[in-house]
Amino acid sequence: MRLGLRTGALAAALVLAVPWLASCGATATESGVVRAKWGDPQNPLEPANTNEVNGGKVLDMIFRGLKIYNPDTAEPEYAVAKSISSDDAQNFKVTLKDGWKFADGTKVTSQSFVDAWNYAAYLPNAQIGADFFGYIDGYDKLHPVKGKPSAKKLSGLKVVDDLHFTIKLNQKFSLFPDMLGYAAFSPLPKKFFTDHDEWLEKPFGNGPYAVTDYERGGRMKLRLNDQYNGTKPRNKGVDLLVYTDDNTAYTDVVAGQLDVTDAVPAEQLSNLHKDIDNRYINTPAGIIQTLMFPMYDKEWDTADALKVRRGISLAINREQITDKIFQKTRIPAKDWTSPVLRDEGGYNPDICGDRCEYNPKKAKQLIDEGGGFPGGKLVLSYNADTGNHKQWIDAICNSVNRVMGNSKACVGNPVGTFADFRTQIQSGKFSGPFRSGWQMDYPLIQNFLQPVYTTGAPSNDGKWSDKEFDALINKANADPDPKSAIKDFQDSERILAEQLPAIPLWYQNGTAVYGTRVHDVKLNPFSVPVFEEMTVDD
């Protein structure tokens, strides 16, 4: 999931008013119900058509898939699946637990998963998460690169009976089962297919909550799903309230008008202890911020330009920026993944090494040896509508300018909206580095590397290409031993450290503040509040 999509969705509008609060008043919230900041989802809440955090929050509450990620460790654990086994890392047998039902009382069966995945992969359904199903045999028939589909069902999926089905992949991928906690792989009830429009108005699945009401631009009400087969939530429901300004949400929490916000503006970080006492969360999350180079521009793809890229990385004082601007809610990055993967999951703080350490003397030497910045000036592009990006882009430029002894060597290039920013990236308009980032979809090192840096990958915005890197990713995917597969992924990451198609900047923590009415508030490693564990005083 793109970090930009996450922040972009939060900034869809700029007005300060909160429609539902303004018209109804916060006290209208029911007893035992958590009130949380939110934003309208970008798309209708189909599991495979949601890749931003607001829609993702709802999907996490209304669905349970074959696996679920532990809210403390991100470790994949079985949810609806009883077991997923394979002898060759390419053919998998899935056994479901008996007793799971959707909120309308219908059973969750093997067909519920197979129908949902076929729907997601079929090109005419235009699901933005369709490529998650690209590993399953037959995907190219449902989702050809060019032309019309020649099939409607993935040949790699076979239903054995209500509690068993098989998956055949088009390549070996030992870590594939650990992807299956991602919301795109959720099962779907029959009503989704027989009465699609009505289902979209009040979507339901097999998770702990069901949507009971939704007013776009105002509020979504979620209440307990009586059919839920897992541990029952510790509250009576959640009201997600649309805010279009992070500062307004923050001040409403301070005033007791809102219970939780997971978007704390940088300008409020210095006020936290005075405003909110200890009701503040700052915890590692699977998010990394980078500067990506336009490798599609020949001027950036030369031996001399490699020296310049290395020099820019050494010119950035990450420690100072994360301390002064982000008040330690960011951690200087030392690889291209995230500490939430832990060592056993592939995080390695030694990968980038001294290439990510501030070294002004060496930085200037490399930039000069490389002939200076292509075009004579370093221009850093970013979207200016959200995310405090101007502050840190300016800080990076100040750092570079001090190194170069030239106050105009580096400048920011603000783009008005996130949508325009993405359009310019996708059309290859930027001639200099641009901000980039990644929020993990699932807690695998593969998810931080393959979608972003392999040749032709959907999020390889810089169009970098390296045959050795691609080969190592394929080798890692095919390795039947997850431990040795992770070593292969790390070997591919070392090529990133050599080539620097993107510079790691910092790992972004999840931050949140909460009011006195709620307790047991925490964020999971995806930086999303764990709503079902919250308790409410009244």
Side-chain angles (χ1 to χ4, degrees):
M1 180 184 293
R2 291 183 180 284
L3 179 60
L5 284 181
R6 178 178 185 273
T7 52
L10 295 176
L14 297 175
V15 294
L16 301 182
V18 184
W20 179 77
L21 287 175
S23 60
C24 301
T27 55
T29 295
E30 298 170 25
S31 172
V33 172
V34 177
R35 303 166 300 177
K37 176 199 171 290
W38 189 55
D40 287 312
Q42 182 183 22
N43 297 315
L45 289 170
E46 298 168 308
N49 204 27
T50 296
N51 70 344
E52 43 76 33
V53 72
N54 291 311
K57 280 180 185 174
V58 179
L59 295 180
D60 285 348
M61 287 194 275
I62 68 174
F63 282 106
R64 284 294 178 267
L66 294 173
K67 288 196 170 186
I68 189 171
Y69 302 116
N70 185 290
D72 296 312
T73 66
E75 190 72 22
E77 300 171 348
Y78 287 125
V80 179
K82 183 177 181 180
S83 66
I84 303 173
S85 61
S86 176
D87 295 327
D88 60 4
Q90 187 163 8
N91 294 279
F92 295 86
K93 296 178 180 178
V94 180
T95 300
L96 306 184
K97 296 172 184 172
D98 200 3
W100 278 84
K101 294 180 179 180
F102 292 105
D104 65 349
T106 57
K107 288 185 176 180
V108 177
T109 68
S110 300
Q111 198 69 53
S112 308
F113 285 95
V114 171
D115 287 346
W117 296 7
N118 283 331
Y119 180 89
Y122 188 48
L123 180 61
N125 292 330
Q127 301 289 284
I128 57 178
D131 58 333
F132 283 102
F133 301 86
Y135 295 104
I136 300 175
D137 208 31
Y139 178 78
D140 56 334
K141 304 294 184 186
L142 278 72
H143 209 110
V145 176
K146 293 182 180 179
K148 296 180 179 179
S150 58
K152 288 188 175 180
K153 296 182 179 179
L154 292 161
S155 59
L157 300 177
K158 303 291 184 187
V159 172
V160 178
D161 58 35
D162 278 357
L163 298 180
H164 300 83
F165 70 100
T166 62
I167 307 168
K168 180 181 180 182
L169 304 184
N170 49 34
Q171 65 179 78
K172 291 187 177 184
F173 187 8
S174 60
L175 299 178
F176 176 74
D178 289 343
M179 290 178 60
L180 300 177
Y182 184 53
F185 293 97
S186 299
L188 285 169
K190 288 184 179 178
K191 192 175 180 65
F192 177 89
F193 303 99
T194 60
D195 198 343
H196 192 69
D197 290 342
E198 186 175 329
W199 186 89
L200 287 179
E201 288 183 9
K202 289 184 181 179
F204 65 86
N206 60 331
Y209 299 94
V211 177
T212 60
D213 188 51
Y214 175 35
E215 175 192 350
R216 189 166 184 82
R219 173 180 62 176
M220 175 175 278
K221 296 176 67 174
L222 296 110
R223 296 297 180 265
L224 302 184
N225 169 18
D226 294 336
Q227 302 290 339
Y228 182 52
N229 199 39
T231 303
K232 299 295 182 186
R234 299 172 67 191
N235 51 64
K236 295 180 181 178
V238 179
D239 280 354
L240 296 175
L241 306 174
V242 174
Y243 279 76
T244 54
D245 181 81
D246 292 347
N247 278 294
T248 304
Y250 175 84
T251 54
D252 275 359
V253 170
V254 175
Q257 298 294 310
L258 183 71
D259 295 321
V260 183
T261 177
D262 56 346
V264 183
E267 56 265 39
Q268 300 289 0
L269 292 173
S270 60
N271 303 322
L272 286 172
H273 292 296
K274 174 174 63 72
D275 290 343
I276 212 79
D277 197 14
N278 62 349
R279 290 174 280 111
Y280 169 55
I281 298 170
N282 177 23
T283 187
I287 306 171
I288 184 171
Q289 186 80 52
T290 64
L291 265 186
M292 186 168 281
F293 290 95
M295 302 301 288
Y296 50 78
D297 186 325
K298 291 182 179 178
E299 288 195 79
W300 283 101
D301 191 18
T302 66
D304 283 341
L306 174 58
K307 292 182 179 179
V308 175
R309 298 199 299 273
R310 289 175 175 170
I312 292 170
S313 181
L314 300 181
I316 300 172
N317 192 335
R318 296 169 177 78
E319 294 280 353
Q320 185 179 65
I321 294 171
T322 53
D323 281 359
K324 300 298 183 184
I325 293 181
F326 293 118
Q327 303 284 315
K328 299 185 184 300
T329 60
R330 310 289 189 275
I331 301 169
K334 299 181 182 298
D335 77 341
W336 283 258
T337 68
S338 166
V340 302
L341 294 181
R342 299 172 294 166
D343 292 349
E344 55 268 39
Y347 169 66
N348 185 337
D350 297 325
I351 292 284
C352 195
D354 57 11
R355 298 176 185 84
C356 287
E357 299 291 337
Y358 182 55
N359 187 335
K361 183 177 179 181
K362 183 72 172 178
K364 187 173 189 309
Q365 177 188 335
L366 284 169
I367 293 169
D368 287 342
E369 286 179 3
F373 303 123
K377 180 181 291 186
L378 184 63
V379 180
L380 307 182
S381 297
Y382 64 99
N383 59 300
D385 54 349
T386 186
N388 305 300
H389 300 312
K390 182 181 187 308
Q391 291 170 269
W392 65 259
I393 287 284
D394 286 349
I396 285 180
C397 275
N398 289 338
S399 190
V400 171
N401 289 341
R402 281 195 297 272
V403 165
M404 300 306 294
N406 177 355
S407 63
K408 297 181 180 179
C410 175
V411 296
N413 174 38
V415 179
T417 67
F418 177 70
D420 288 344
F421 179 67
R422 288 300 307 162
T423 298
Q424 293 193 45
I425 286 177
Q426 290 170 344
S427 57
K429 292 287 182 64
F430 294 137
S431 58
F434 48 88
R435 86 160 190 91
S436 184
W438 190 256
Q439 181 169 358
M440 66 180 183
D441 301 306
Y442 43 88
L444 295 180
I445 184 174
Q446 176 266 352
N447 186 236
F448 284 90
L449 302 177
Q450 184 166 352
V452 190
Y453 300 110
T454 53
T455 301
S459 296
N460 185 350
D461 291 329
K463 309 301 181 189
W464 178 69
S465 178
D466 186 281
K467 291 180 180 178
E468 186 181 359
F469 178 88
D470 293 348
L472 282 166
I473 292 290
N474 289 333
K475 180 185 176 189
N477 283 335
D479 195 323
D481 180 358
K483 289 185 178 179
S484 58
I486 286 172
K487 290 182 179 178
D488 292 332
F489 281 121
Q490 289 177 329
D491 284 343
S492 73
E493 203 179 348
R494 290 186 175 89
I495 294 177
L496 297 181
E498 285 292 328
Q499 297 296 320
L500 288 179
I503 295 174
L505 295 177
W506 39 78
Y507 310 117
Q508 182 169 324
N509 282 5
T511 57
V513 295
Y514 55 98
T516 56
R517 181 173 171 262
V518 293
H519 307 281
D520 303 311
V521 180
K522 66 181 180 184
L523 301 177
N524 65 22
F526 297 86
S527 189
V528 174
V530 185
F531 289 109
E532 57 266 36
E533 294 189 14
M534 295 182 195
T535 58
V536 185
D537 272 347
D538 52 24

